[in-house]
Amino acid sequence: MTAKDATRQETVSEFRDTVNLTAAELERWLDTDESRGVGQKKDGDDESVGHESGRRIVELLRTKESELDDDDIAHMRKVVGYVRRHLAQRPDGDVTRSPWRYSLKNWGHDPQKK
């Protein structure tokens, strides 16, 4: 196994550990007003960066590992990094209906899912 293959396998594994919503759960979530109402938007875009990422994550979850390309692996790394950073910024108090939780869910991770 080459170093690139090992890094790729590590990224896929971390992505699977980090994204705890199924493709179907994430797809349903992305259809909600709460999902569309959070996150930063690029200039002129109607959709937030996280919501767009969520749609890409749904595709990644439905893609066979052998069919993932370098762009897919790069997005998986971006997802893992975002979720780790965001989890470290957990606000005090009940986060059940918080923009913090909603943003994480857009990125495929529900911090309240058991």
Side-chain angles (χ1 to χ4, degrees):
M1 180 183 286
T2 67
K4 182 179 179 183
D5 290 338
T7 301
R8 177 188 172 94
Q9 186 58 47
E10 183 179 337
T11 298
V12 171
S13 178
E14 288 176 343
F15 177 81
R16 289 195 176 131
D17 290 344
T18 300
V19 174
N20 67 355
L21 297 176
T22 65
E25 287 170 331
L26 182 52
E27 212 164 37
R28 279 193 303 276
W29 166 250
L30 293 171
D31 254 351
T32 68
D33 290 339
E34 292 85 355
S35 171
R36 288 189 206 92
V38 295
Q40 296 180 339
K41 297 178 180 169
K42 295 178 191 167
D43 289 339
D45 280 358
D46 290 336
E47 183 178 37
S48 73
V49 174
H51 196 273
E52 182 179 344
S53 176
R55 290 187 299 104
R56 177 96 188 264
I57 293 165
V58 169
E59 291 174 19
L60 293 172
L61 290 171
R62 291 185 171 144
T63 301
K64 292 180 185 170
E65 187 174 337
S66 61
E67 295 174 3
L68 296 170
D69 63 25
D70 288 347
D71 285 343
D72 295 333
I73 299 298
H75 194 75
M76 289 176 152
R77 270 195 298 276
K78 182 177 179 179
V79 170
V80 170
Y82 176 86
V83 170
R84 284 181 180 163
R85 285 189 309 277
H86 210 65
L87 284 172
Q89 299 167 357
R90 182 185 178 103
D92 293 333
D94 183 12
V95 297
T96 303
R97 298 169 100 54
S98 68
W100 176 82
R101 178 178 178 224
Y102 294 168
S103 288
L104 275 167
K105 286 181 73 174
N106 278 355
W107 287 81
H109 181 86
D110 185 351
Q112 294 191 320
K113 185 175 181 183
K114 301 289 183 227

